[in-house]
Amino acid sequence: SLLAFMFIVLIVLVPRDLNLSLDSNLWVTNYSFDLGEYVTYIRDYFAAAVQNGTLGESRYIDQSSEAAAFGAVGKSLLVILSALIIGFVFGILKGVLDYKLSKTKFSVLGHWTTWLFQSIPDFFLMLIAQWVLIKHVPAIRYFAVDGWEAFVLPSLLVSIYPIFFIARITSASLLAQEGKLYILL
């Protein structure tokens, strides 16, 4: 984690000074990297971090970077925990449904849908769900920072893959127990 932090800080501190000039109705940009300036940025940043005891100001007024990071972590944990609960509840229900439908002519709705949704990468499923919501449900603010949209929609999107994973495990467990002696008695 410390190595990742250092790597991100080193990327962020790369000097971004552009020289802009106008040359006959054309903006010309000139960027030159100066290693001495880069080392100075790094030294000044860490000196200020040690001296002030903070990583700096965030983009929010009167809020440090640490406070913004802890707020984001808290919101992310709520989304992850709620997605896990949604995944367990609907995954177990879907697994039981898959088991019940496995011996009927509707087995396509059971194991096959679970298999299909698990074979598609979850990132792709989330992109499709986001596109459908943005395109066909304009009343919902998808990129909301506060409110129910900022909590419910991400929780539902993150719970897609766990639902089908838990459904597969539940259905396989029920199938493995089928015909056991303690079940038959």
Side-chain angles (χ1 to χ4, degrees):
S1 297
L2 187 59
L3 185 63
F5 170 75
M6 294 295 287
F7 185 68
I8 291 171
V9 167
L10 290 177
I11 289 174
V12 168
L13 292 177
V14 170
R16 296 178 298 272
D17 298 329
L18 290 175
N19 297 325
L20 295 173
S21 61
L22 187 62
D23 184 26
S24 65
N25 295 335
L26 181 67
W27 284 101
V28 178
T29 59
N30 185 13
Y31 174 75
S32 60
F33 178 77
D34 183 18
L35 186 62
E37 184 180 18
Y38 184 49
V39 170
T40 303
Y41 280 178
I42 294 170
R43 185 182 51 227
D44 291 347
Y45 176 77
F46 283 107
V50 169
Q51 181 181 10
N52 299 333
T54 182
L55 297 175
E57 291 295 317
S58 69
R59 64 181 175 167
Y60 306 108
I61 299 173
D62 297 330
Q63 186 179 29
S64 67
S65 296
E66 296 86 9
F70 284 128
V73 166
K75 289 180 181 179
S76 296
L77 283 176
L78 283 174
V79 167
I80 290 169
L81 288 175
S82 63
L84 187 64
I85 292 169
I86 291 169
F88 276 132
V89 170
F90 287 104
I92 291 171
L93 292 175
K94 173 80 168 99
V96 171
L97 181 70
D98 289 354
Y99 171 73
K100 292 284 189 184
L101 293 177
S102 65
K103 304 241 187 320
T104 67
K105 63 181 178 179
F106 298 109
S107 65
V108 172
L109 298 175
H111 288 291
W112 287 99
T113 56
T114 301
W115 174 81
L116 176 70
F117 278 99
Q118 242 193 328
S119 65
I120 299 171
D122 56 343
F123 181 73
F124 187 65
L125 284 174
M126 286 185 202
L127 286 177
I128 291 172
Q130 289 174 6
W131 178 78
V132 167
L133 281 174
I134 291 170
K135 181 91 171 151
H136 299 292
V137 190
I140 295 176
R141 298 177 312 133
Y142 185 75
F143 297 105
V145 177
D146 292 322
W148 70 270
E149 294 103 338
F151 176 72
V152 173
L153 291 177
S155 297
L156 291 175
L157 287 175
V158 172
S159 69
I160 291 173
Y161 187 78
I163 287 172
F164 293 104
F165 183 76
I166 293 168
R168 185 177 57 119
I169 291 172
T170 303
S171 177
S173 297
L174 290 172
L175 282 171
Q177 299 304 314
E178 187 177 47
K180 298 284 184 178
L181 190 56
Y182 61 88
I183 299 292
L184 295 175
L185 296 175

